[in-house]
Amino acid sequence: KAGVTQTPRYLIKTRGQQVTLSCSPISGHRSVSWYQQTPGQGLQFLFEYFSETQRNKGNFPGRFSGRQFSNSRSEMNVSTLELGDSALYLCASSSGTVYEQYFGPGTRLTVT
Amino acid sequence: AQSVTQPDIHITVSEGASLELRCNYSYGATPYLFWYVQSPGQGLQLLLKYFSGDTLVQGIKGFEAEFKRSQSSFNLRKPSVHWSDAAEYFCAVGNGNKLVFGAGTILRVKS
């Protein structure tokens, strides 16, 4: 089976812009979770989607949002980018009933 | 609230030596526990997991971990480290599909 794929792998944006990241889960997986990884805060949970519904949400401002499509692919959007949003954004997929997650390679976002 | 502590930020071991990475967790119920490894510029790879049953779990790449409820620990071990094991290792506790990660331990392997 193909693994989790994330596009794009690298992004450079300017403060105030918005960005959309994409994640395609492992075939058959219905749950997609998003995490932010920074040197200062480590790995932090953003949100999880299962069957197009947000099932769980972390402690991030409303500028961070996501959605899931009927084919389980997911996107996350960050509006009004801040310098502190520079991070590696990781997507993980799971079956949704068995709680082991498989991670993609991440999208490296740099905000200037 | 769940939390995970990895007391060692960096560990250096000689190639061929044994390895133990420490992990302590705080969780109200029976935890789902995981170890992941991350190489530079890469995503996280699942090494092993504990859900229930046998407290000694085997993973990929020769790693194992032991769940000790009395100590709230889930330490990762490997009997003989290879240079390719140099990476950052993360312990995590799962609450449904939300993982709470420790801060990570960077493993350096010296030849």
Side-chain angles (χ1 to χ4, degrees), chain A residues 9 31 33 35 37 43 45 48 55-56 94 96 99-101 103-105, chain B residues 32 34 36 38 41-44 46 49 51 90 95-99 101:
Chain A
R9 291 293 309 278
S31 169
S33 299
Y35 294 83
Q37 186 177 26
L43 281 152
F45 173 79
E48 183 230 355
R55 197 162 62 168
N56 209 340
S94 78
Y99 301 126
E100 56 188 79
Q101 297 184 33
F103 282 79
Chain B
Y32 298 133
F34 306 85
Y36 285 87
Q38 185 178 37
Q42 302 296 315
L44 302 174
L46 178 64
K49 60 187 182 288
F51 289 167
F90 293 93
N95 175 19
N97 261 330
K98 172 185 175 180
L99 291 176
F101 286 89

PDB file of all heavy atoms in Angstrom, chain A residues 9 31 33 35 37 43 45 48 55-56 94 96 99-101 103-105, chain B residues 32 34 36 38 41-44 46 49 51 90 95-99 101:
ATOM      1  N   ARG A   9       5.611  19.722  -0.364  1.00  0.00           N
ATOM      2  CA  ARG A   9       6.583  19.379   0.672  1.00  0.00           C
ATOM      3  C   ARG A   9       7.178  20.629   1.311  1.00  0.00           C
ATOM      4  O   ARG A   9       7.523  20.618   2.492  1.00  0.00           O
ATOM      5  CB  ARG A   9       7.697  18.523   0.085  1.00  0.00           C
ATOM      6  CG  ARG A   9       7.280  17.118  -0.321  1.00  0.00           C
ATOM      7  CD  ARG A   9       6.890  16.253   0.884  1.00  0.00           C
ATOM      8  NE  ARG A   9       7.884  16.256   1.936  1.00  0.00           N
ATOM      9  CZ  ARG A   9       8.972  15.503   1.953  1.00  0.00           C
ATOM     10  NH1 ARG A   9       9.203  14.663   0.970  1.00  0.00           N
ATOM     11  NH2 ARG A   9       9.817  15.573   2.968  1.00  0.00           N
ATOM     12  N   SER A  31      -9.571   8.048   8.902  1.00  0.00           N
ATOM     13  CA  SER A  31      -9.244   9.098   9.866  1.00  0.00           C
ATOM     14  C   SER A  31      -7.959   9.790   9.445  1.00  0.00           C
ATOM     15  O   SER A  31      -6.967   9.145   9.089  1.00  0.00           O
ATOM     16  CB  SER A  31      -9.052   8.488  11.258  1.00  0.00           C
ATOM     17  OG  SER A  31      -8.490   9.436  12.138  1.00  0.00           O
ATOM     18  N   SER A  33      -5.417  12.920  10.874  1.00  0.00           N
ATOM     19  CA  SER A  33      -5.069  13.865  11.942  1.00  0.00           C
ATOM     20  C   SER A  33      -3.951  14.770  11.463  1.00  0.00           C
ATOM     21  O   SER A  33      -3.124  14.372  10.643  1.00  0.00           O
ATOM     22  CB  SER A  33      -4.606  13.116  13.199  1.00  0.00           C
ATOM     23  OG  SER A  33      -5.635  12.281  13.694  1.00  0.00           O
ATOM     24  N   TYR A  35      -0.821  17.521  12.769  1.00  0.00           N
ATOM     25  CA  TYR A  35       0.036  17.924  13.870  1.00  0.00           C
ATOM     26  C   TYR A  35       0.978  19.022  13.386  1.00  0.00           C
ATOM     27  O   TYR A  35       1.380  19.056  12.229  1.00  0.00           O
ATOM     28  CB  TYR A  35       0.884  16.759  14.370  1.00  0.00           C
ATOM     29  CG  TYR A  35       0.082  15.646  14.993  1.00  0.00           C
ATOM     30  CD1 TYR A  35      -0.517  14.671  14.203  1.00  0.00           C
ATOM     31  CD2 TYR A  35      -0.076  15.573  16.373  1.00  0.00           C
ATOM     32  CE1 TYR A  35      -1.257  13.651  14.761  1.00  0.00           C
ATOM     33  CE2 TYR A  35      -0.811  14.550  16.953  1.00  0.00           C
ATOM     34  CZ  TYR A  35      -1.398  13.597  16.141  1.00  0.00           C
ATOM     35  OH  TYR A  35      -2.136  12.595  16.711  1.00  0.00           O
ATOM     36  N   GLN A  37       4.711  20.672  14.194  1.00  0.00           N
ATOM     37  CA  GLN A  37       5.974  20.410  14.879  1.00  0.00           C
ATOM     38  C   GLN A  37       6.884  21.615  14.781  1.00  0.00           C
ATOM     39  O   GLN A  37       7.232  22.063  13.676  1.00  0.00           O
ATOM     40  CB  GLN A  37       6.681  19.177  14.298  1.00  0.00           C
ATOM     41  CG  GLN A  37       7.931  18.793  15.072  1.00  0.00           C
ATOM     42  CD  GLN A  37       8.604  17.540  14.544  1.00  0.00           C
ATOM     43  OE1 GLN A  37       8.476  17.183  13.381  1.00  0.00           O
ATOM     44  NE2 GLN A  37       9.309  16.835  15.412  1.00  0.00           N
ATOM     45  N   LEU A  43       5.714  18.546  19.108  1.00  0.00           N
ATOM     46  CA  LEU A  43       4.609  18.038  18.292  1.00  0.00           C
ATOM     47  C   LEU A  43       3.294  18.320  18.997  1.00  0.00           C
ATOM     48  O   LEU A  43       3.074  17.876  20.114  1.00  0.00           O
ATOM     49  CB  LEU A  43       4.756  16.523  18.096  1.00  0.00           C
ATOM     50  CG  LEU A  43       5.767  16.095  17.049  1.00  0.00           C
ATOM     51  CD1 LEU A  43       6.331  14.722  17.373  1.00  0.00           C
ATOM     52  CD2 LEU A  43       5.095  16.073  15.678  1.00  0.00           C
ATOM     53  N   PHE A  45      -1.024  18.459  18.551  1.00  0.00           N
ATOM     54  CA  PHE A  45      -2.200  18.008  17.809  1.00  0.00           C
ATOM     55  C   PHE A  45      -3.034  19.208  17.386  1.00  0.00           C
ATOM     56  O   PHE A  45      -3.354  20.077  18.203  1.00  0.00           O
ATOM     57  CB  PHE A  45      -3.006  17.080  18.712  1.00  0.00           C
ATOM     58  CG  PHE A  45      -4.331  16.660  18.170  1.00  0.00           C
ATOM     59  CD1 PHE A  45      -4.426  15.667  17.216  1.00  0.00           C
ATOM     60  CD2 PHE A  45      -5.496  17.246  18.636  1.00  0.00           C
ATOM     61  CE1 PHE A  45      -5.647  15.262  16.728  1.00  0.00           C
ATOM     62  CE2 PHE A  45      -6.725  16.857  18.166  1.00  0.00           C
ATOM     63  CZ  PHE A  45      -6.810  15.850  17.200  1.00  0.00           C
ATOM     64  N   GLU A  48      -8.518  16.277  14.120  1.00  0.00           N
ATOM     65  CA  GLU A  48      -8.704  14.973  13.498  1.00  0.00           C
ATOM     66  C   GLU A  48     -10.040  14.948  12.782  1.00  0.00           C
ATOM     67  O   GLU A  48     -11.057  15.444  13.310  1.00  0.00           O
ATOM     68  CB  GLU A  48      -8.678  13.845  14.529  1.00  0.00           C
ATOM     69  CG  GLU A  48      -8.787  12.456  13.893  1.00  0.00           C
ATOM     70  CD  GLU A  48      -9.836  11.568  14.524  1.00  0.00           C
ATOM     71  OE1 GLU A  48     -10.444  11.967  15.538  1.00  0.00           O
ATOM     72  OE2 GLU A  48     -10.052  10.463  13.995  1.00  0.00           O
ATOM     73  N   ARG A  55     -13.611  15.301  14.491  1.00  0.00           N
ATOM     74  CA  ARG A  55     -13.936  14.490  15.657  1.00  0.00           C
ATOM     75  C   ARG A  55     -13.198  14.974  16.913  1.00  0.00           C
ATOM     76  O   ARG A  55     -13.620  14.698  18.023  1.00  0.00           O
ATOM     77  CB  ARG A  55     -13.594  13.031  15.363  1.00  0.00           C
ATOM     78  CG  ARG A  55     -14.221  12.031  16.275  1.00  0.00           C
ATOM     79  CD  ARG A  55     -14.223  10.632  15.704  1.00  0.00           C
ATOM     80  NE  ARG A  55     -12.914  10.057  15.443  1.00  0.00           N
ATOM     81  CZ  ARG A  55     -12.732   8.761  15.166  1.00  0.00           C
ATOM     82  NH1 ARG A  55     -13.753   7.943  15.137  1.00  0.00           N
ATOM     83  NH2 ARG A  55     -11.533   8.288  14.896  1.00  0.00           N
ATOM     84  N   ASN A  56     -12.097  15.678  16.705  1.00  0.00           N
ATOM     85  CA  ASN A  56     -11.296  16.100  17.834  1.00  0.00           C
ATOM     86  C   ASN A  56     -10.517  17.336  17.410  1.00  0.00           C
ATOM     87  O   ASN A  56     -10.146  17.481  16.238  1.00  0.00           O
ATOM     88  CB  ASN A  56     -10.332  14.979  18.246  1.00  0.00           C
ATOM     89  CG  ASN A  56      -9.991  15.009  19.716  1.00  0.00           C
ATOM     90  OD1 ASN A  56     -10.145  16.025  20.383  1.00  0.00           O
ATOM     91  ND2 ASN A  56      -9.527  13.887  20.226  1.00  0.00           N
ATOM     92  N   SER A  94      -5.209   6.872  10.024  1.00  0.00           N
ATOM     93  CA  SER A  94      -5.469   5.599  10.694  1.00  0.00           C
ATOM     94  C   SER A  94      -6.813   5.084  10.223  1.00  0.00           C
ATOM     95  O   SER A  94      -7.572   5.791   9.572  1.00  0.00           O
ATOM     96  CB  SER A  94      -5.456   5.770  12.217  1.00  0.00           C
ATOM     97  OG  SER A  94      -6.661   6.334  12.674  1.00  0.00           O
ATOM     98  N   GLY A  96      -9.249   4.601  12.011  1.00  0.00           N
ATOM     99  CA  GLY A  96     -10.289   5.316  12.740  1.00  0.00           C
ATOM    100  C   GLY A  96     -10.830   4.512  13.902  1.00  0.00           C
ATOM    101  O   GLY A  96     -11.403   5.066  14.828  1.00  0.00           O
ATOM    102  N   TYR A  99      -6.185   2.572  16.984  1.00  0.00           N
ATOM    103  CA  TYR A  99      -5.536   3.848  17.239  1.00  0.00           C
ATOM    104  C   TYR A  99      -4.047   3.851  16.989  1.00  0.00           C
ATOM    105  O   TYR A  99      -3.269   4.281  17.822  1.00  0.00           O
ATOM    106  CB  TYR A  99      -5.827   4.286  18.666  1.00  0.00           C
ATOM    107  CG  TYR A  99      -7.308   4.430  18.916  1.00  0.00           C
ATOM    108  CD1 TYR A  99      -7.923   3.771  19.966  1.00  0.00           C
ATOM    109  CD2 TYR A  99      -8.092   5.218  18.083  1.00  0.00           C
ATOM    110  CE1 TYR A  99      -9.273   3.909  20.191  1.00  0.00           C
ATOM    111  CE2 TYR A  99      -9.444   5.355  18.295  1.00  0.00           C
ATOM    112  CZ  TYR A  99     -10.042   4.695  19.352  1.00  0.00           C
ATOM    113  OH  TYR A  99     -11.379   4.831  19.567  1.00  0.00           O
ATOM    114  N   GLU A 100      -3.620   3.382  15.830  1.00  0.00           N
ATOM    115  CA  GLU A 100      -2.235   3.579  15.446  1.00  0.00           C
ATOM    116  C   GLU A 100      -2.221   4.427  14.193  1.00  0.00           C
ATOM    117  O   GLU A 100      -2.982   4.192  13.261  1.00  0.00           O
ATOM    118  CB  GLU A 100      -1.509   2.261  15.242  1.00  0.00           C
ATOM    119  CG  GLU A 100      -2.129   1.304  14.240  1.00  0.00           C
ATOM    120  CD  GLU A 100      -1.439  -0.036  14.262  1.00  0.00           C
ATOM    121  OE1 GLU A 100      -1.726  -0.828  15.175  1.00  0.00           O
ATOM    122  OE2 GLU A 100      -0.606  -0.270  13.387  1.00  0.00           O
ATOM    123  N   GLN A 101      -1.383   5.439  14.232  1.00  0.00           N
ATOM    124  CA  GLN A 101      -1.366   6.420  13.166  1.00  0.00           C
ATOM    125  C   GLN A 101      -0.087   6.311  12.355  1.00  0.00           C
ATOM    126  O   GLN A 101       0.990   6.071  12.897  1.00  0.00           O
ATOM    127  CB  GLN A 101      -1.493   7.826  13.753  1.00  0.00           C
ATOM    128  CG  GLN A 101      -2.807   8.041  14.483  1.00  0.00           C
ATOM    129  CD  GLN A 101      -2.972   9.449  14.988  1.00  0.00           C
ATOM    130  OE1 GLN A 101      -2.510  10.409  14.388  1.00  0.00           O
ATOM    131  NE2 GLN A 101      -3.652   9.600  16.107  1.00  0.00           N
ATOM    132  N   PHE A 103       2.283   8.339   9.630  1.00  0.00           N
ATOM    133  CA  PHE A 103       2.550   9.728   9.289  1.00  0.00           C
ATOM    134  C   PHE A 103       3.093   9.892   7.874  1.00  0.00           C
ATOM    135  O   PHE A 103       3.820   9.030   7.365  1.00  0.00           O
ATOM    136  CB  PHE A 103       3.561  10.322  10.270  1.00  0.00           C
ATOM    137  CG  PHE A 103       2.972  10.688  11.599  1.00  0.00           C
ATOM    138  CD1 PHE A 103       2.729   9.711  12.551  1.00  0.00           C
ATOM    139  CD2 PHE A 103       2.634  11.990  11.893  1.00  0.00           C
ATOM    140  CE1 PHE A 103       2.172  10.032  13.784  1.00  0.00           C
ATOM    141  CE2 PHE A 103       2.080  12.336  13.115  1.00  0.00           C
ATOM    142  CZ  PHE A 103       1.850  11.346  14.057  1.00  0.00           C
ATOM    143  N   GLY A 104       2.750  11.022   7.287  1.00  0.00           N
ATOM    144  CA  GLY A 104       3.349  11.431   6.032  1.00  0.00           C
ATOM    145  C   GLY A 104       4.667  12.131   6.272  1.00  0.00           C
ATOM    146  O   GLY A 104       5.082  12.329   7.419  1.00  0.00           O
ATOM    147  N   PRO A 105       5.335  12.555   5.186  1.00  0.00           N
ATOM    148  CA  PRO A 105       6.648  13.197   5.320  1.00  0.00           C
ATOM    149  C   PRO A 105       6.574  14.637   5.814  1.00  0.00           C
ATOM    150  O   PRO A 105       7.589  15.203   6.208  1.00  0.00           O
ATOM    151  CB  PRO A 105       7.203  13.142   3.896  1.00  0.00           C
ATOM    152  CG  PRO A 105       5.987  13.119   3.032  1.00  0.00           C
ATOM    153  CD  PRO A 105       4.947  12.347   3.799  1.00  0.00           C
TER     154      PRO A 105
ATOM    155  N   TYR B  32      -2.933   3.893  25.598  1.00  0.00           N
ATOM    156  CA  TYR B  32      -2.353   3.399  24.369  1.00  0.00           C
ATOM    157  C   TYR B  32      -1.000   4.107  24.241  1.00  0.00           C
ATOM    158  O   TYR B  32      -0.949   5.324  24.284  1.00  0.00           O
ATOM    159  CB  TYR B  32      -3.224   3.737  23.163  1.00  0.00           C
ATOM    160  CG  TYR B  32      -4.598   3.126  23.187  1.00  0.00           C
ATOM    161  CD1 TYR B  32      -5.726   3.884  22.904  1.00  0.00           C
ATOM    162  CD2 TYR B  32      -4.775   1.783  23.487  1.00  0.00           C
ATOM    163  CE1 TYR B  32      -6.989   3.330  22.905  1.00  0.00           C
ATOM    164  CE2 TYR B  32      -6.031   1.217  23.501  1.00  0.00           C
ATOM    165  CZ  TYR B  32      -7.138   1.994  23.219  1.00  0.00           C
ATOM    166  OH  TYR B  32      -8.391   1.438  23.235  1.00  0.00           O
ATOM    167  N   PHE B  34       2.944   4.531  22.345  1.00  0.00           N
ATOM    168  CA  PHE B  34       3.628   4.386  21.070  1.00  0.00           C
ATOM    169  C   PHE B  34       5.047   4.935  21.178  1.00  0.00           C
ATOM    170  O   PHE B  34       5.324   5.839  21.952  1.00  0.00           O
ATOM    171  CB  PHE B  34       2.902   5.182  19.975  1.00  0.00           C
ATOM    172  CG  PHE B  34       1.436   4.870  19.833  1.00  0.00           C
ATOM    173  CD1 PHE B  34       0.499   5.511  20.629  1.00  0.00           C
ATOM    174  CD2 PHE B  34       1.005   3.936  18.899  1.00  0.00           C
ATOM    175  CE1 PHE B  34      -0.855   5.227  20.502  1.00  0.00           C
ATOM    176  CE2 PHE B  34      -0.343   3.652  18.764  1.00  0.00           C
ATOM    177  CZ  PHE B  34      -1.271   4.296  19.566  1.00  0.00           C
ATOM    178  N   TYR B  36       7.758   6.420  18.247  1.00  0.00           N
ATOM    179  CA  TYR B  36       7.990   6.798  16.857  1.00  0.00           C
ATOM    180  C   TYR B  36       9.442   7.250  16.710  1.00  0.00           C
ATOM    181  O   TYR B  36      10.059   7.738  17.667  1.00  0.00           O
ATOM    182  CB  TYR B  36       7.092   7.966  16.444  1.00  0.00           C
ATOM    183  CG  TYR B  36       5.646   7.611  16.198  1.00  0.00           C
ATOM    184  CD1 TYR B  36       4.724   7.604  17.231  1.00  0.00           C
ATOM    185  CD2 TYR B  36       5.203   7.293  14.917  1.00  0.00           C
ATOM    186  CE1 TYR B  36       3.395   7.290  16.999  1.00  0.00           C
ATOM    187  CE2 TYR B  36       3.874   6.982  14.665  1.00  0.00           C
ATOM    188  CZ  TYR B  36       2.974   6.984  15.714  1.00  0.00           C
ATOM    189  OH  TYR B  36       1.660   6.677  15.470  1.00  0.00           O
ATOM    190  N   GLN B  38      12.033   9.635  14.085  1.00  0.00           N
ATOM    191  CA  GLN B  38      12.046  10.636  13.029  1.00  0.00           C
ATOM    192  C   GLN B  38      13.488  10.929  12.608  1.00  0.00           C
ATOM    193  O   GLN B  38      14.300  11.357  13.425  1.00  0.00           O
ATOM    194  CB  GLN B  38      11.376  11.931  13.510  1.00  0.00           C
ATOM    195  CG  GLN B  38      11.245  12.997  12.429  1.00  0.00           C
ATOM    196  CD  GLN B  38      10.531  14.247  12.932  1.00  0.00           C
ATOM    197  OE1 GLN B  38      10.702  14.668  14.074  1.00  0.00           O
ATOM    198  NE2 GLN B  38       9.694  14.849  12.081  1.00  0.00           N
ATOM    199  N   GLY B  41      14.363  15.796   8.524  1.00  0.00           N
ATOM    200  CA  GLY B  41      13.591  16.142   7.343  1.00  0.00           C
ATOM    201  C   GLY B  41      12.517  15.138   6.968  1.00  0.00           C
ATOM    202  O   GLY B  41      11.913  15.262   5.901  1.00  0.00           O
ATOM    203  N   GLN B  42      12.280  14.188   7.832  1.00  0.00           N
ATOM    204  CA  GLN B  42      11.312  13.138   7.525  1.00  0.00           C
ATOM    205  C   GLN B  42      10.106  13.193   8.452  1.00  0.00           C
ATOM    206  O   GLN B  42      10.104  13.910   9.456  1.00  0.00           O
ATOM    207  CB  GLN B  42      11.976  11.762   7.657  1.00  0.00           C
ATOM    208  CG  GLN B  42      13.186  11.568   6.778  1.00  0.00           C
ATOM    209  CD  GLN B  42      12.838  11.612   5.307  1.00  0.00           C
ATOM    210  OE1 GLN B  42      11.868  11.020   4.852  1.00  0.00           O
ATOM    211  NE2 GLN B  42      13.625  12.353   4.541  1.00  0.00           N
ATOM    212  N   GLY B  43       9.091  12.397   8.103  1.00  0.00           N
ATOM    213  CA  GLY B  43       7.959  12.243   9.002  1.00  0.00           C
ATOM    214  C   GLY B  43       8.282  11.256  10.108  1.00  0.00           C
ATOM    215  O   GLY B  43       9.436  10.872  10.311  1.00  0.00           O
ATOM    216  N   LEU B  44       7.268  10.841  10.821  1.00  0.00           N
ATOM    217  CA  LEU B  44       7.441   9.924  11.937  1.00  0.00           C
ATOM    218  C   LEU B  44       7.146   8.499  11.486  1.00  0.00           C
ATOM    219  O   LEU B  44       6.153   8.255  10.803  1.00  0.00           O
ATOM    220  CB  LEU B  44       6.483  10.292  13.079  1.00  0.00           C
ATOM    221  CG  LEU B  44       6.614  11.695  13.642  1.00  0.00           C
ATOM    222  CD1 LEU B  44       5.507  11.960  14.651  1.00  0.00           C
ATOM    223  CD2 LEU B  44       7.963  11.872  14.290  1.00  0.00           C
ATOM    224  N   LEU B  46       6.362   4.676  12.877  1.00  0.00           N
ATOM    225  CA  LEU B  46       5.936   3.926  14.048  1.00  0.00           C
ATOM    226  C   LEU B  46       6.876   2.761  14.297  1.00  0.00           C
ATOM    227  O   LEU B  46       7.072   1.908  13.428  1.00  0.00           O
ATOM    228  CB  LEU B  46       4.505   3.416  13.839  1.00  0.00           C
ATOM    229  CG  LEU B  46       3.904   2.569  14.948  1.00  0.00           C
ATOM    230  CD1 LEU B  46       3.752   3.379  16.239  1.00  0.00           C
ATOM    231  CD2 LEU B  46       2.539   2.023  14.517  1.00  0.00           C
ATOM    232  N   LYS B  49       3.936  -0.352  19.449  1.00  0.00           N
ATOM    233  CA  LYS B  49       2.767   0.162  20.158  1.00  0.00           C
ATOM    234  C   LYS B  49       2.382  -0.812  21.261  1.00  0.00           C
ATOM    235  O   LYS B  49       2.672  -2.006  21.194  1.00  0.00           O
ATOM    236  CB  LYS B  49       1.590   0.326  19.196  1.00  0.00           C
ATOM    237  CG  LYS B  49       1.177  -0.989  18.522  1.00  0.00           C
ATOM    238  CD  LYS B  49       0.147  -0.769  17.470  1.00  0.00           C
ATOM    239  CE  LYS B  49      -0.292  -2.088  16.850  1.00  0.00           C
ATOM    240  NZ  LYS B  49       0.751  -2.662  15.987  1.00  0.00           N
ATOM    241  N   PHE B  51      -1.167  -1.660  23.426  1.00  0.00           N
ATOM    242  CA  PHE B  51      -2.584  -1.399  23.675  1.00  0.00           C
ATOM    243  C   PHE B  51      -3.036  -2.141  24.931  1.00  0.00           C
ATOM    244  O   PHE B  51      -3.726  -1.597  25.777  1.00  0.00           O
ATOM    245  CB  PHE B  51      -3.438  -1.830  22.481  1.00  0.00           C
ATOM    246  CG  PHE B  51      -3.282  -0.958  21.268  1.00  0.00           C
ATOM    247  CD1 PHE B  51      -3.778  -1.358  20.034  1.00  0.00           C
ATOM    248  CD2 PHE B  51      -2.645   0.271  21.324  1.00  0.00           C
ATOM    249  CE1 PHE B  51      -3.633  -0.556  18.909  1.00  0.00           C
ATOM    250  CE2 PHE B  51      -2.493   1.084  20.209  1.00  0.00           C
ATOM    251  CZ  PHE B  51      -2.998   0.655  18.990  1.00  0.00           C
ATOM    252  N   PHE B  90      10.430   9.625  19.662  1.00  0.00           N
ATOM    253  CA  PHE B  90       9.309  10.227  20.374  1.00  0.00           C
ATOM    254  C   PHE B  90       8.437   9.145  20.994  1.00  0.00           C
ATOM    255  O   PHE B  90       8.040   8.196  20.322  1.00  0.00           O
ATOM    256  CB  PHE B  90       8.443  11.061  19.425  1.00  0.00           C
ATOM    257  CG  PHE B  90       9.119  12.288  18.892  1.00  0.00           C
ATOM    258  CD1 PHE B  90       9.802  12.236  17.684  1.00  0.00           C
ATOM    259  CD2 PHE B  90       9.078  13.480  19.591  1.00  0.00           C
ATOM    260  CE1 PHE B  90      10.440  13.367  17.182  1.00  0.00           C
ATOM    261  CE2 PHE B  90       9.706  14.613  19.094  1.00  0.00           C
ATOM    262  CZ  PHE B  90      10.385  14.548  17.888  1.00  0.00           C
ATOM    263  N   ASN B  95      -5.066   9.189  23.042  1.00  0.00           N
ATOM    264  CA  ASN B  95      -6.405   9.376  23.591  1.00  0.00           C
ATOM    265  C   ASN B  95      -7.335   9.401  22.385  1.00  0.00           C
ATOM    266  O   ASN B  95      -7.525  10.447  21.770  1.00  0.00           O
ATOM    267  CB  ASN B  95      -6.476  10.679  24.369  1.00  0.00           C
ATOM    268  CG  ASN B  95      -7.882  10.967  24.859  1.00  0.00           C
ATOM    269  OD1 ASN B  95      -8.710  10.057  24.921  1.00  0.00           O
ATOM    270  ND2 ASN B  95      -8.157  12.205  25.188  1.00  0.00           N
ATOM    271  N   GLY B  96      -7.866   8.257  22.032  1.00  0.00           N
ATOM    272  CA  GLY B  96      -8.563   8.159  20.769  1.00  0.00           C
ATOM    273  C   GLY B  96      -7.564   8.381  19.667  1.00  0.00           C
ATOM    274  O   GLY B  96      -6.468   7.815  19.682  1.00  0.00           O
ATOM    275  N   ASN B  97      -7.882   9.228  18.735  1.00  0.00           N
ATOM    276  CA  ASN B  97      -6.946   9.498  17.652  1.00  0.00           C
ATOM    277  C   ASN B  97      -6.161  10.774  17.875  1.00  0.00           C
ATOM    278  O   ASN B  97      -5.634  11.367  16.942  1.00  0.00           O
ATOM    279  CB  ASN B  97      -7.655   9.531  16.309  1.00  0.00           C
ATOM    280  CG  ASN B  97      -7.491   8.214  15.576  1.00  0.00           C
ATOM    281  OD1 ASN B  97      -6.497   7.538  15.749  1.00  0.00           O
ATOM    282  ND2 ASN B  97      -8.466   7.865  14.787  1.00  0.00           N
ATOM    283  N   LYS B  98      -6.077  11.214  19.122  1.00  0.00           N
ATOM    284  CA  LYS B  98      -5.227  12.340  19.450  1.00  0.00           C
ATOM    285  C   LYS B  98      -4.016  11.810  20.178  1.00  0.00           C
ATOM    286  O   LYS B  98      -4.128  11.171  21.217  1.00  0.00           O
ATOM    287  CB  LYS B  98      -5.973  13.325  20.353  1.00  0.00           C
ATOM    288  CG  LYS B  98      -5.109  14.436  20.911  1.00  0.00           C
ATOM    289  CD  LYS B  98      -5.891  15.293  21.874  1.00  0.00           C
ATOM    290  CE  LYS B  98      -4.982  16.322  22.529  1.00  0.00           C
ATOM    291  NZ  LYS B  98      -5.730  17.167  23.480  1.00  0.00           N
ATOM    292  N   LEU B  99      -2.840  12.051  19.612  1.00  0.00           N
ATOM    293  CA  LEU B  99      -1.602  11.632  20.250  1.00  0.00           C
ATOM    294  C   LEU B  99      -0.994  12.803  21.003  1.00  0.00           C
ATOM    295  O   LEU B  99      -0.914  13.915  20.477  1.00  0.00           O
ATOM    296  CB  LEU B  99      -0.603  11.126  19.216  1.00  0.00           C
ATOM    297  CG  LEU B  99      -0.938   9.805  18.530  1.00  0.00           C
ATOM    298  CD1 LEU B  99       0.100   9.495  17.459  1.00  0.00           C
ATOM    299  CD2 LEU B  99      -1.009   8.679  19.538  1.00  0.00           C
ATOM    300  N   PHE B 101       2.573  13.831  22.536  1.00  0.00           N
ATOM    301  CA  PHE B 101       3.953  13.417  22.373  1.00  0.00           C
ATOM    302  C   PHE B 101       4.840  13.973  23.489  1.00  0.00           C
ATOM    303  O   PHE B 101       4.595  15.062  24.036  1.00  0.00           O
ATOM    304  CB  PHE B 101       4.508  13.928  21.043  1.00  0.00           C
ATOM    305  CG  PHE B 101       4.003  13.198  19.842  1.00  0.00           C
ATOM    306  CD1 PHE B 101       2.849  13.603  19.196  1.00  0.00           C
ATOM    307  CD2 PHE B 101       4.690  12.094  19.350  1.00  0.00           C
ATOM    308  CE1 PHE B 101       2.380  12.921  18.077  1.00  0.00           C
ATOM    309  CE2 PHE B 101       4.234  11.416  18.235  1.00  0.00           C
ATOM    310  CZ  PHE B 101       3.073  11.823  17.600  1.00  0.00           C
TER     311      PHE B 101
END
